[in-house]
Amino acid sequence: MTVTERLSALRALMKEKGVDAYLVPTDDFHASEYVGDYFKCRKYITGFTGSAGTAVITMDMAGLWTDGRYFIQAAQQLEGTTVELFKMGEPEVPTIHEFLKEKLTEGMCLGFDGRTVSAAEAEELKELLSDKKIRFSVEEDLIGEIWTERPALSCEPVMELDIKWAGESRAEKCARVRRKMQEKQADVFVLTSLDDIAWLLNIRGNDIHCCPVVLSYLVLTEEEALLFANEKAFGQDVLANLKKDGVVLKPYNDIYTYVNTIPAGKTVILSKANVNSRLVNSLPAEVKILDEENLTLLPKAIKNHTEVENERIAHIKDGVAVTKFIYWLKQNVGKMEITELSAAEHLFQLRKEQENFLDNSFDPIVSYGGHAAMCHYSPSPETDIPLEPKGLALCDTGGHYLEGSTDITRTIALGELTEKEQKYFTLVLKGHLRLSDARFHYGCCGQNLDYLAREPLWRLGEDYNHGTGHGVGYLLNIHEGPNSFRWKSSSAVLEEGMITSNEPGYYVENEFGIRHENLIVCKKAEKTAYGQFMCFENLTMVPFDLDAINPELLDTYEKGLLNSYHAEVYEKISPYLTEEEKNWLKEYTRAI
C-alpha cells in the first residue's frame, strides 16, 4: 500500500473504533531513540524514515512533527503523501500539544498505543485536554491492525560483556543501585530503558539496528532481579551466569501482569519520562510511585577507569581505519567510480580489519555536495550519487568495538573548493577547537560551554540546527544522556569520565554541509583555592583536512591547538600505516 492508502485504511479503522485523532510517535515500548523494524509505525504511516518525529492523523489531515536535523529530508519524503510537515521550533509552528488542544473539540477521542507513549506524556495530555472532556483510547495498536506484513519482534542472540571490558561486575552494579533504592526508601525499581538494562547486567544484543541492546524489562528488589525477555535469545551459559547472580528470566510480555501484583503499600521508583503509560497504569492504585530519573542513568554515563582506558584503544583502532579511508578517498576520487554507498562500504571494511570490531555504531552518513546539507542524510540505493574530484564530502560514521563505541565526523575536500566552503569549514573548526580546549569550574554543564563552539558562526549571524554534542555509551547507544552540549536546554553537570561528542556544523541547502566531530572525555584539571577545575581529552585521533582550511581565519591560539592535535594524531596513528600512508599523514598533520 502507498502512504495515502495506509492513511485511508487507518481512518476507516479510527471511524469504526470511535477515534477522532491518532498519535503515532517514533518510540518502541522502551522510549528508545532508534527502534527495531517491528516498531516503525510512524515510518509505515507517513513514509518518513528519520529517527525522530511524531505523526498525528485525524479524519481530515495528517501531520508530521520533526526537528531541524530532518527538515530537508522530511520535506522530500512527504511530497505527494498528503502528510503535512510541521517544523518543530520554527516561528508560528504549533507544538503537537498546541495542535491537539486547538483541533480536538469537546467529547472527542484521542487514541494511541499506550506502550509507545511515556507515562509522563500521557499524563500531560490528559491534563492539557481535561477541560474539553477528551476521551482516551490507549489499549489498542491501530497501526498494527492494518500493517499486514509487519516484521516479527527481534530475538537476536544475547552475549555477556566480560569484566575486562565493563570494568565492574553486574553484581557490583546491582548492589550500587540497591543502595540507592535504600536511600530513597524504594522497594521496587522498574527499569525499561534498554541501554540501562544492558549496562546494569553486562549483557549486549542486537535487537535494534546498530544498538547492541536486548528487548527486555527489569524489575529490581532487595531480594531479586526479574528480567522480562525472550528466553530463546539466551544461550545456556548466559542463563546460568545470570541465575548465579540472582537474575531470573521471565517472558517478555509478562511485565504488565507482574507489576499488577506488586503489593499495596510498596514504593516503586521509576522514570515516567521513560516508562510507558500502559505499564504505569498497570500498577495497583495503592502502590506509591517515586517518579525520578533512572538510578542507572548517571552511573552509566560516568565511565570507569577500565572503560576510559578501553575507549582510548578503540579510538586508535578507529583512527587507523578512518585515516586510511581519507587517504584512499583523496587518492582515488575521480580516478575510479566511488559513490556515497561504496565509500561507506570501504570504510566499513577498513574497520572490520581492526581486532574486536563488531559493527557500525550507526548507519554511516557519507554525503556529498548538497546531500551533506541534510544533517542526518544516509545514502540509500535510491539516493546514492558518485563523488567527484571537487567540493566537500561529509562522513559521519562510527564503530562498536569490545573496547567501546566511536562516533566521528570528518568533512573532506575532494578537490577544488569555493572561498565560501573554505570559510565555513574554518569557522566551524574554530569553534570545535575552542570547545575541545575548554577549562571550566566543576559544576558546569554543557549549556555553559556550548557557546564556545557556536561563537564564530553567531558572530556572523549564522548557526546550525542541532546540538553541539551528546553523551556516548560504552558499546551501547551512540546517543546517551544525561550529558550534552546544548545552549537551549540544561543538561547534567559534566563529571570526570563522561564521554561527549564535540560536533559543530554548518549547512547550506542544496550546496554543502560541514561538520567536525571528535569524542572527548571529561577529566579533572587543577584544583585551586577556587575549587576543582575540569578539562577535556580528545579520544578521536584523525586529522582534519588541511586542504579545506583558510589559515588566515585561525588565530595563533587556534593554530596552536590544531598543530598540537595533529602532532598527537601522527604519533598515535602512523605506526599502523603503510609507508605511503605514513608519508601522506606526515604532510596532512604538518604545522600551519
Side-chain angles (χ1 to χ4, degrees), residues 72-114:
I72 301 172
Q73 178 184 339
Q76 292 176 352
Q77 292 182 329
L78 297 182
E79 192 173 349
T81 66
T82 74
V83 180
E84 182 182 349
L85 173 61
F86 289 80
K87 297 181 177 181
M88 291 168 63
E90 294 292 289
E92 299 182 13
V93 174
T95 66
I96 295 169
H97 287 199
E98 288 168 345
F99 174 85
L100 290 172
K101 178 77 170 173
E102 181 183 345
K103 185 79 174 175
L104 295 177
T105 58
E106 188 161 339
M108 278 188 166
C109 178
L110 173 63
F112 51 81
D113 181 350

Side-chain angles (χ1 to χ4, degrees), residues 28-30 38 113-117 138 141 256 276-278:
D28 57 13
F29 304 159
H30 307 273
Y38 174 88
D113 181 350
R115 297 169 299 176
T116 64
V117 173
V138 299
D141 174 10
Y256 298 95
N276 72 59
S277 58
R278 188 181 298 182

